[in-house]
Amino acid sequence: MSTTSFVASIMIGDVCHKYSATFEPPISTFESDHITINFITEGQIIGKAAFTGNIGVRDLDLKLSSPGVTISGPLNKNTTSQLQISGTGTWNGSSFGPQKARGTLSTMSSSTLVARFTVDDAVHIYSAKFYPSLPSFGTDEITLTFDNLGQLIGTPAFSGEVGVNSIRLMLSSSGVEMNGDLNRHMNQKYTISGTGAWDSACVICMLPLSDAV
């Protein structure tokens, strides 16, 4: 029995990331319960990515088009020969419930703010401009609520409230919020809105993760 497709799955926190791919030429069906997926940042396991590599006799070894991303491991059953394959796949992440991360938020000027959160081994930074201009504010304990890591990319807009004692920001990415108590109270509550951009930096740059289908 031959195949031209496979699915590789990894768990990061409460999110299952699946890489579904098709390839040529057709080869005998294969399976591995102990793969390792190496990557530098979680932004590399989003969207489409081509790959090339070898399957058999005892192992699989695939290199994706994203620099530094590889899928490798021993096969459950040996194949009769080693074959080179190439193809294209798509990463998809699905959450098993809302996730939360703690972080900090501070203003850099009267109309800019930066929020930082650590999720697994990556620091996610949201830098934004807002209106109207306000006195400085910040919090050392703000909670980020989100469904999956795919929401912590791009340039989402936001709206929310700051003061008297708390801050709440709702991002345009559905389900993404930031809530916390201010370090110092403000003399009134303000309604603000603006646009920001997510960036991330890896703390541990090679993350071996397993579980394949």
Side-chain angles (χ1 to χ4, degrees):
M1 185 175 179
S2 62
T3 183
T4 57
S5 64
F6 69 83
V7 177
S9 303
I10 61 171
M11 289 294 300
I12 303 177
D14 294 320
V15 179
C16 178
H17 293 266
K18 292 186 177 181
Y19 180 66
S20 304
T22 57
F23 59 85
E24 292 289 345
I27 63 173
S28 298
T29 58
F30 60 92
E31 187 176 48
S32 174
D33 293 330
H34 300 285
I35 63 166
T36 296
I37 299 179
N38 291 319
F39 58 96
I40 299 173
T41 69
E42 292 173 18
Q44 293 178 301
I45 53 175
I46 296 172
K48 292 184 178 180
F51 73 92
T52 59
N54 298 312
I55 302 291
V57 173
R58 297 181 177 85
D59 307 288
L60 65 89
D61 185 13
L62 307 177
K63 293 182 180 180
L64 277 64
S65 55
S66 302
V69 181
T70 62
I71 301 174
S72 59
L75 297 172
N76 290 355
K77 295 182 180 179
N78 292 350
T79 61
T80 56
S81 62
Q82 185 183 77
L83 292 175
Q84 186 174 34
I85 64 172
S86 62
T88 303
T90 302
W91 288 101
N92 289 292
S94 57
S95 175
F96 294 95
Q99 300 186 71
K100 295 184 182 294
R102 291 186 177 182
T104 63
L105 182 148
S106 59
T107 52
M108 306 304 291
S109 71
S110 61
S111 59
T112 60
L113 62 83
V114 174
R116 294 177 173 84
F117 304 92
T118 300
V119 183
D120 295 325
D121 296 299
V123 178
H124 295 265
I125 302 170
Y126 183 67
S127 304
K129 293 182 178 181
F130 60 85
Y131 179 86
S133 298
L134 295 180
S136 63
F137 60 89
T139 173
D140 294 329
E141 294 186 6
I142 191 166
T143 300
L144 172 70
T145 303
F146 61 102
D147 291 325
N148 60 72
L149 293 171
Q151 295 176 306
L152 309 187
I153 61 174
T155 56
F158 73 93
S159 60
E161 296 178 336
V162 180
V164 173
N165 297 308
S166 61
I167 177 171
R168 182 188 183 195
L169 304 180
M170 295 168 288
L171 277 64
S172 57
S173 307
S174 179
V176 180
E177 290 190 11
M178 301 179 192
N179 293 275
D181 294 326
L182 296 172
N183 291 342
R184 294 181 295 177
H185 76 271
M186 305 179 75
N187 56 13
Q188 69 179 78
K189 181 178 289 188
Y190 300 90
T191 298
I192 65 172
S193 61
T195 302
W198 285 105
D199 193 9
S200 62
C202 191
V203 178
I204 300 176
C205 289
M206 298 304 289
L207 303 177
L209 298 160
S210 61
D211 272 348
V213 179

